[in-house]
Coordinates of all heavy atoms in Angstrom, one line a residue:
M749 N -4.9 -1.5 184.6 CA -6.1 -2.4 184.1 C -6.3 -2.1 182.6 O -6.3 -1.0 182.1 CB -7.2 -2.0 184.9 CG -8.4 -2.9 184.7 SD -9.9 -2.6 185.8 CE -10.9 -1.5 184.6
V750 N -6.5 -3.1 181.9 CA -6.8 -3.0 180.4 C -8.3 -2.9 180.1 O -8.9 -3.9 180.6 CB -6.1 -4.1 179.6 CG1 -6.4 -3.9 178.1 CG2 -4.6 -4.2 179.9
I751 N -8.8 -1.9 179.6 CA -10.1 -1.8 179.3 C -10.3 -2.3 177.9 O -9.8 -1.7 177.0 CB -10.7 -0.3 179.5 CG1 -10.5 0.1 180.9 CG2 -12.2 -0.3 179.0 CD1 -10.7 1.5 181.1
K752 N -11.1 -3.3 177.7 CA -11.3 -3.9 176.4 C -12.4 -3.2 175.7 O -13.5 -3.1 176.2 CB -11.5 -5.4 176.5 CG -11.1 -6.1 175.2 CD -11.1 -7.6 175.3 CE -10.6 -8.3 174.1 NZ -11.3 -7.7 172.8
M753 N -12.0 -2.6 174.5 CA -13.1 -2.0 173.7 C -14.0 -3.0 173.0 O -13.5 -4.0 172.6 CB -12.4 -1.2 172.5 CG -11.5 -0.1 173.1 SD -12.3 1.5 173.2 CE -12.9 1.7 171.5
T754 N -15.3 -2.7 173.1 CA -16.2 -3.7 172.4 C -16.6 -3.2 171.1 O -17.3 -3.9 170.3 CB -17.4 -4.0 173.3 OG1 -17.9 -2.8 173.7 CG2 -16.9 -4.8 174.5
E755 N -16.4 -1.9 170.9 CA -16.8 -1.3 169.6 C -15.7 -0.3 169.2 O -15.1 0.3 170.0 CB -18.1 -0.4 169.8 CG -19.3 -1.1 169.8 CD -20.6 -0.2 169.9 OE1 -20.4 1.0 170.0 OE2 -21.7 -0.7 169.8
C756 N -15.5 -0.3 167.9 CA -14.5 0.6 167.3 C -14.9 2.1 167.7 O -16.0 2.5 167.6 CB -14.5 0.5 165.7 SG -13.4 1.6 165.0
E757 N -13.9 2.9 168.0 CA -14.1 4.3 168.5 C -14.6 5.1 167.3 O -15.0 6.2 167.4 CB -12.9 4.8 169.2 CG -11.7 5.2 168.3 CD -10.8 4.0 167.9 OE1 -11.2 2.9 168.1 OE2 -9.7 4.3 167.3
L758 N -14.3 4.6 166.1 CA -14.7 5.4 164.9 C -16.1 5.2 164.4 O -16.6 5.6 163.4 CB -13.7 5.1 163.7 CG -12.3 5.6 164.1 CD1 -11.3 5.0 163.0 CD2 -12.2 7.1 164.2
L759 N -16.8 4.2 165.1 CA -18.1 3.7 164.6 C -19.1 5.0 164.2 O -19.6 4.8 163.1 CB -18.8 3.0 165.8 CG -19.7 1.8 165.4 CD1 -18.9 0.7 164.8 CD2 -20.2 1.2 166.8
S760 N -19.1 5.9 165.0 CA -20.1 7.0 164.8 C -19.6 7.9 163.5 O -20.4 8.7 163.0 CB -20.2 7.9 166.0 OG -19.0 8.6 166.4
K761 N -18.4 7.8 163.1 CA -18.0 8.6 162.0 C -17.5 7.8 160.8 O -17.1 8.4 159.8 CB -16.9 9.7 162.4 CG -15.8 9.3 163.3 CD -14.9 10.4 163.6 CE -14.0 10.2 164.8 NZ -13.0 11.2 165.0
C762 N -17.6 6.5 161.0 CA -17.1 5.7 159.9 C -18.1 5.5 158.7 O -19.2 5.1 158.9 CB -16.7 4.4 160.4 SG -16.2 3.2 159.1
G763 N -17.7 6.0 157.5 CA -18.6 5.9 156.4 C -19.1 4.5 156.1 O -20.2 4.3 155.7
F764 N -18.2 3.6 156.1 CA -18.5 2.2 155.8 C -19.6 1.7 156.8 O -20.6 1.1 156.4 CB -17.2 1.3 155.9 CG -17.6 -0.1 155.9 CD1 -17.9 -0.8 154.8 CD2 -17.6 -0.9 157.2 CE1 -18.1 -2.2 154.8 CE2 -17.9 -2.2 157.2 CZ -18.2 -2.9 156.0
F765 N -19.4 1.9 158.0 CA -20.3 1.5 159.0 C -21.7 2.1 158.9 O -22.8 1.6 158.8 CB -19.8 1.7 160.5 CG -20.7 1.2 161.5 CD1 -20.9 -0.2 161.8 CD2 -21.6 2.1 162.3 CE1 -21.7 -0.6 162.7 CE2 -22.5 1.6 163.2 CZ -22.6 0.2 163.4
K766 N -21.6 3.5 158.7 CA -22.9 4.3 158.5 C -23.7 3.7 157.3 O -24.9 3.6 157.3 CB -22.6 5.7 158.3 CG -22.4 6.4 159.7 CD -22.4 7.9 159.4 CE -21.4 8.6 160.3 NZ -21.3 10.1 160.0
K767 N -22.9 3.5 156.2 CA -23.6 3.2 154.9 C -24.1 1.7 154.9 O -25.1 1.4 154.4 CB -22.6 3.4 153.8 CG -23.3 3.2 152.4 CD -22.3 3.7 151.3 CE -22.8 3.3 149.9 NZ -21.8 3.8 148.9
H768 N -23.3 0.9 155.5 CA -23.5 -0.6 155.4 C -24.1 -1.2 156.7 O -24.2 -2.5 156.7 CB -22.3 -1.3 154.9 CG -21.9 -0.7 153.6 ND1 -22.6 -0.9 152.4 CD2 -20.8 0.0 153.2 CE1 -22.1 -0.3 151.4 NE2 -20.9 0.3 151.9
Q769 N -24.3 -0.5 157.8 CA -24.7 -1.3 159.0 C -26.0 -2.0 158.9 O -26.2 -3.0 159.6 CB -24.8 -0.2 160.1 CG -25.7 0.9 159.9 CD -25.7 1.8 161.1 OE1 -25.6 1.4 162.3 NE2 -25.8 3.1 160.9
S770 N -26.9 -1.6 158.0 CA -28.1 -2.3 157.8 C -28.1 -3.2 156.6 O -29.2 -3.7 156.2 CB -29.4 -1.4 157.8 OG -29.0 0.0 157.8
N771 N -27.0 -3.4 156.0 CA -26.9 -4.2 154.9 C -27.2 -5.7 155.3 O -26.6 -6.2 156.3 CB -25.4 -4.1 154.3 CG -25.2 -4.8 153.0 OD1 -25.8 -5.8 152.7 ND2 -24.5 -4.1 152.1
K772 N -28.0 -6.4 154.6 CA -28.4 -7.7 154.9 C -27.4 -8.8 154.5 O -27.5 -10.0 154.9 CB -29.8 -7.9 154.4 CG -30.9 -7.1 154.9 CD -31.3 -7.5 156.3 CE -32.4 -6.6 156.9 NZ -32.0 -5.3 157.4
E773 N -26.6 -8.4 153.7 CA -25.5 -9.3 153.1 C -24.8 -9.9 154.3 O -24.2 -9.2 155.1 CB -24.6 -8.7 152.2 CG -25.3 -8.1 150.9 CD -24.9 -9.0 149.7 OE1 -24.0 -9.8 149.8 OE2 -25.5 -8.8 148.7
S774 N -24.6 -11.2 154.3 CA -24.0 -11.9 155.5 C -22.4 -11.5 155.5 O -21.9 -11.3 156.5 CB -24.1 -13.3 155.4 OG -23.6 -13.8 154.1
A775 N -21.8 -11.3 154.4 CA -20.5 -10.8 154.3 C -20.3 -9.6 155.1 O -19.4 -9.3 155.8 CB -19.9 -10.8 152.9
C776 N -21.2 -8.6 154.7 CA -21.1 -7.3 155.3 C -21.3 -7.4 156.9 O -20.6 -6.8 157.6 CB -22.1 -6.5 154.7 SG -21.7 -4.8 154.6
K777 N -22.3 -8.1 157.2 CA -22.5 -8.3 158.6 C -21.4 -8.9 159.3 O -21.0 -8.6 160.5 CB -23.8 -9.3 158.9 CG -25.1 -8.7 158.6 CD -26.1 -9.7 159.0 CE -27.6 -9.0 159.0 NZ -28.6 -10.0 159.2
G778 N -20.8 -9.9 158.6 CA -19.5 -10.6 159.2 C -18.4 -9.6 159.5 O -17.8 -9.6 160.5
F779 N -18.2 -8.7 158.5 CA -17.1 -7.6 158.7 C -17.4 -6.8 159.9 O -16.6 -6.5 160.7 CB -17.0 -6.8 157.4 CG -16.3 -7.5 156.3 CD1 -16.9 -7.4 155.1 CD2 -15.1 -8.1 156.5 CE1 -16.3 -8.0 154.0 CE2 -14.4 -8.6 155.4 CZ -15.1 -8.7 154.1
I780 N -18.7 -6.4 160.0 CA -19.0 -5.6 161.2 C -18.8 -6.3 162.5 O -18.2 -5.8 163.4 CB -20.4 -4.9 161.0 CG1 -20.4 -3.9 159.8 CG2 -21.0 -4.3 162.3 CD1 -21.8 -3.5 159.4
A781 N -19.2 -7.5 162.5 CA -19.1 -8.3 163.7 C -17.6 -8.6 164.1 O -17.3 -8.6 165.2 CB -19.9 -9.6 163.5
M782 N -16.8 -8.8 163.0 CA -15.5 -9.1 163.2 C -14.6 -7.9 163.5 O -13.8 -7.9 164.4 CB -14.9 -9.8 162.0 CG -14.1 -10.9 162.2 SD -13.3 -11.7 160.8 CE -14.4 -11.4 159.4
Y783 N -14.9 -6.8 162.8 CA -14.0 -5.7 162.9 C -14.7 -4.6 163.8 O -14.1 -4.3 164.9 CB -13.7 -5.0 161.6 CG -12.7 -5.8 160.7 CD1 -13.2 -6.9 159.9 CD2 -11.4 -5.6 160.8 CE1 -12.3 -7.6 159.1 CE2 -10.5 -6.3 159.9 CZ -11.0 -7.4 159.1 OH -10.1 -8.0 158.3
C784 N -15.7 -4.0 163.4 CA -16.3 -2.9 164.1 C -16.7 -3.3 165.5 O -16.7 -2.4 166.4 CB -17.5 -2.3 163.3 SG -17.2 -2.2 161.6
K785 N -17.2 -4.4 165.7 CA -17.6 -4.8 167.0 C -17.0 -6.1 167.5 O -17.5 -6.9 168.2 CB -19.1 -5.0 167.0 CG -19.9 -3.7 166.6 CD -21.4 -4.0 166.7 CE -22.2 -2.6 166.5 NZ -23.5 -2.7 166.5
G786 N -15.8 -6.3 167.0 CA -15.1 -7.6 167.3 C -13.6 -7.4 167.6 O -13.1 -6.4 167.8
T787 N -12.9 -8.6 167.5 CA -11.6 -8.7 168.0 C -10.6 -8.0 167.0 O -9.4 -7.8 167.3 CB -11.2 -10.1 168.2 OG1 -11.5 -10.8 167.0 CG2 -12.0 -10.7 169.4
K788 N -11.0 -7.8 165.7 CA -10.1 -7.5 164.8 C -10.1 -5.9 164.5 O -9.4 -5.4 163.5 CB -10.3 -8.2 163.4 CG -10.0 -9.6 163.6 CD -10.1 -10.4 162.2 CE -8.9 -10.1 161.3 NZ -8.9 -10.9 160.1
M789 N -10.8 -5.2 165.2 CA -10.9 -3.7 165.0 C -9.6 -3.0 164.8 O -9.5 -2.1 164.1 CB -11.8 -3.0 166.0 CG -11.3 -3.0 167.4 SD -12.4 -2.1 168.5 CE -13.8 -3.3 168.6
E790 N -8.5 -3.4 165.5 CA -7.3 -2.7 165.4 C -6.6 -3.1 164.1 O -5.6 -2.4 163.7 CB -6.3 -3.1 166.6 CG -6.8 -2.5 167.9 CD -7.2 -1.0 167.8 OE1 -6.5 -0.2 167.1 OE2 -8.2 -0.5 168.5
A791 N -7.1 -4.1 163.4 CA -6.4 -4.5 162.2 C -7.2 -3.9 161.1 O -6.9 -4.2 159.8 CB -6.4 -6.0 162.1
C792 N -8.2 -3.2 161.3 CA -9.0 -2.6 160.2 C -8.2 -1.7 159.3 O -7.7 -0.7 159.8 CB -10.3 -1.8 160.9 SG -11.3 -1.1 159.5
K793 N -8.3 -2.1 158.0 CA -7.6 -1.2 157.0 C -8.0 0.2 156.9 O -7.4 1.1 156.5 CB -7.6 -1.9 155.6 CG -6.7 -3.2 155.7 CD -5.3 -3.0 155.5 CE -4.4 -4.2 155.0 NZ -4.5 -5.3 155.7
R794 N -9.4 0.4 157.1 CA -9.9 1.7 157.1 C -9.4 2.6 158.2 O -9.1 3.7 158.0 CB -11.5 1.6 157.2 CG -12.2 0.8 156.1 CD -13.7 0.9 156.3 NE -14.2 2.3 156.5 CZ -14.5 3.1 155.5 NH1 -14.5 2.7 154.3 NH2 -14.9 4.3 155.7
K795 N -9.2 2.0 159.3 CA -8.7 2.8 160.5 C -7.3 3.1 160.2 O -6.8 4.2 160.4 CB -8.8 1.8 161.7 CG -8.5 2.5 163.0 CD -8.6 1.7 164.2 CE -10.0 1.4 164.6 NZ -10.1 0.8 166.0
I796 N -6.4 2.1 159.7 CA -5.0 2.4 159.3 C -4.9 3.4 158.2 O -4.1 4.3 158.3 CB -4.4 1.0 158.9 CG1 -4.4 0.1 160.1 CG2 -3.0 1.3 158.4 CD1 -4.1 -1.4 159.8
Y797 N -5.8 3.3 157.2 CA -5.8 4.3 156.2 C -6.0 5.7 156.7 O -5.4 6.6 156.4 CB -6.9 4.0 155.2 CG -6.9 4.9 154.0 CD1 -6.4 4.6 152.7 CD2 -7.6 6.2 154.0 CE1 -6.5 5.4 151.6 CE2 -7.7 7.1 153.0 CZ -7.1 6.6 151.7 OH -7.2 7.5 150.7
R798 N -7.0 5.9 157.6 CA -7.3 7.1 158.2 C -6.2 7.7 159.0 O -5.8 8.9 159.0 CB -8.5 7.0 159.1 CG -9.2 8.2 159.5 CD -10.3 8.0 160.6 NE -11.5 7.7 160.1 CZ -12.6 8.6 160.0 NH1 -12.4 9.8 160.4 NH2 -13.8 8.2 159.5
K799 N -5.5 6.8 159.7 CA -4.3 7.2 160.5 C -3.2 7.6 159.7 O -2.5 8.7 159.9 CB -3.8 6.0 161.4 CG -4.6 6.1 162.8 CD -3.9 4.9 163.7 CE -4.9 4.6 164.8 NZ -4.8 3.3 165.3
E800 N -3.0 6.9 158.6 CA -1.9 7.3 157.7 C -2.1 8.5 156.8 O -1.2 9.2 156.5 CB -1.5 6.1 156.8 CG -0.8 4.9 157.5 CD -0.5 3.7 156.6 OE1 -1.0 3.7 155.5 OE2 0.1 2.8 157.1
N801 N -3.3 8.7 156.4 CA -3.6 9.7 155.4 C -4.3 11.0 156.0 O -4.4 12.0 155.3 CB -4.5 9.2 154.3 CG -3.7 8.1 153.5 OD1 -2.8 8.3 152.7 ND2 -4.0 6.8 153.8
G802 N -4.8 10.8 157.2 CA -5.5 11.9 157.9 C -6.9 12.1 157.3 O -7.5 13.1 157.8
V803 N -7.3 11.3 156.4 CA -8.7 11.5 155.9 C -9.3 10.1 155.8 O -8.6 9.1 155.8 CB -8.7 12.1 154.5 CG1 -8.4 13.6 154.5 CG2 -7.8 11.4 153.5
A804 N -10.6 10.0 155.8 CA -11.3 8.8 155.7 C -11.2 8.2 154.3 O -11.3 8.9 153.3 CB -12.8 9.0 156.1
P805 N -11.2 7.0 154.2 CA -11.2 6.3 152.8 C -12.6 6.3 152.3 O -13.6 6.6 153.0 CB -10.7 4.9 153.1 CG -11.1 4.5 154.5 CD -11.0 5.9 155.3
S806 N -12.8 5.8 151.0 CA -14.1 5.7 150.4 C -15.1 4.8 151.3 O -14.5 3.9 152.0 CB -13.9 5.0 149.0 OG -15.2 4.4 148.7
D807 N -16.3 5.2 151.3 CA -17.3 4.5 152.2 C -17.3 3.0 151.7 O -17.7 2.2 152.5 CB -18.7 5.0 152.0 CG -18.8 6.4 152.6 OD1 -17.9 6.8 153.3 OD2 -19.9 7.1 152.4
D808 N -16.9 2.7 150.5 CA -17.0 1.3 150.0 C -15.7 0.6 150.2 O -15.7 -0.6 149.6 CB -17.5 1.4 148.5 CG -18.8 1.9 148.3 OD1 -19.6 1.5 149.2 OD2 -19.1 2.7 147.4
M809 N -14.8 1.1 150.9 CA -13.6 0.3 151.2 C -13.9 -0.5 152.4 O -14.4 -0.1 153.5 CB -12.3 1.2 151.5 CG -11.1 0.5 151.8 SD -9.7 1.7 152.0 CE -8.8 0.8 153.2
L810 N -13.6 -1.8 152.3 CA -14.0 -2.8 153.4 C -12.9 -2.7 154.5 O -11.8 -2.3 154.2 CB -14.1 -4.2 152.8 CG -15.1 -4.4 151.8 CD1 -14.9 -5.8 151.1 CD2 -16.5 -4.4 152.5
P811 N -13.1 -3.2 155.6 CA -12.2 -3.3 156.7 C -10.8 -4.1 156.2 O -9.8 -3.9 156.8 CB -12.9 -4.0 157.9 CG -14.3 -3.6 157.6 CD -14.5 -3.6 156.1
T812 N -11.0 -4.9 155.3 CA -9.9 -5.7 154.7 C -9.1 -4.9 153.8 O -8.0 -5.4 153.4 CB -10.5 -7.0 153.9 OG1 -11.3 -6.5 152.8 CG2 -11.2 -7.9 154.9
G813 N -9.5 -3.7 153.4 CA -8.8 -2.9 152.4 C -9.3 -3.1 151.0 O -8.9 -2.4 150.1
H814 N -10.1 -4.2 150.7 CA -10.6 -4.3 149.4 C -11.8 -3.3 149.2 O -12.5 -2.9 150.1 CB -11.1 -5.7 149.2 CG -10.1 -6.7 149.3 ND1 -9.8 -7.5 150.5 CD2 -9.1 -7.1 148.4 CE1 -8.7 -8.3 150.3 NE2 -8.3 -8.1 149.0
M815 N -12.1 -3.2 147.9 CA -13.3 -2.3 147.6 C -14.5 -3.1 147.4 O -14.4 -4.2 146.8 CB -13.0 -1.5 146.3 CG -11.9 -0.4 146.5 SD -12.2 0.7 147.8 CE -13.2 2.0 147.0
M816 N -15.6 -2.7 147.9 CA -16.8 -3.3 147.7 C -17.3 -3.4 146.2 O -17.1 -2.3 145.6 CB -18.0 -2.7 148.5 CG -18.3 -3.4 149.7 SD -19.6 -2.5 150.5 CE -20.7 -3.9 151.0
K817 N -17.8 -4.4 145.8 CA -18.3 -4.5 144.4 C -19.6 -3.7 144.3 O -20.5 -4.0 145.2 CB -18.4 -5.8 143.8 CG -16.9 -6.4 143.7 CD -17.0 -7.8 143.0 CE -15.6 -8.4 143.1 NZ -15.3 -8.9 144.4
A818 N -19.9 -2.9 143.4 CA -21.1 -2.1 143.3 C -22.3 -3.1 143.0 O -22.1 -4.2 142.4 CB -21.0 -1.1 142.2
Ligands
LIG1440 S1 -14.9 -0.2 159.4 FE1 -13.0 -0.1 160.7 S2 -13.0 2.0 161.2 FE2 -15.0 1.7 160.5 S3 -16.1 1.3 162.4 FE3 -15.5 -0.7 161.5 S4 -13.5 -1.2 162.5 FE4 -13.9 1.0 162.8

């Protein structure tokens, strides 16, 4: 049986999520809905980065791999 995850397992330790979860910007909300709590979580570049490098990326790196503009 395949158990479908509804939330990314890194949610509680992800700097991006922690920092931006209450961000009112629709783009940010969209990323969270799409990646952190959506169907694209396995494609999250932050997750891939963490797997490849063994450390978390900058909190301002988006799930797409782009950097957030300050
Ligand atoms: S940004 Fe990526 S690693 Fe972080 S909680 Fe969302 S899906 Fe998971």
Side-chain angles (χ1 to χ4, degrees):
M749 194 177 93
V750 179
I751 299 167
K752 206 168 180 311
M753 299 265 302
T754 53
E755 278 185 359
C756 173
E757 76 278 10
L758 296 171
L759 215 60
S760 61
K761 43 183 167 173
C762 178
F764 168 79
F765 183 75
K766 280 196 215 165
K767 185 169 174 185
H768 300 294
Q769 59 180 322
S770 2
N771 193 317
K772 298 280 182 288
E773 295 253 348
S774 58
C776 212
K777 284 185 169 177
F779 284 129
I780 289 174
M782 220 184 333
Y783 287 87
C784 313
K785 299 183 178 182
T787 52
K788 293 186 78 178
M789 65 180 69
E790 291 312 322
C792 176
K793 290 278 198 314
R794 294 185 55 86
K795 192 183 283 198
I796 293 164
Y797 182 101
R798 194 188 271 262
K799 271 185 199 151
E800 284 177 354
N801 298 282
V803 288
S806 156
D807 293 350
D808 293 322
M809 181 175 146
L810 295 167
T812 56
H814 295 101
M815 292 304 272
M816 258 182 135
K817 291 184 188 74

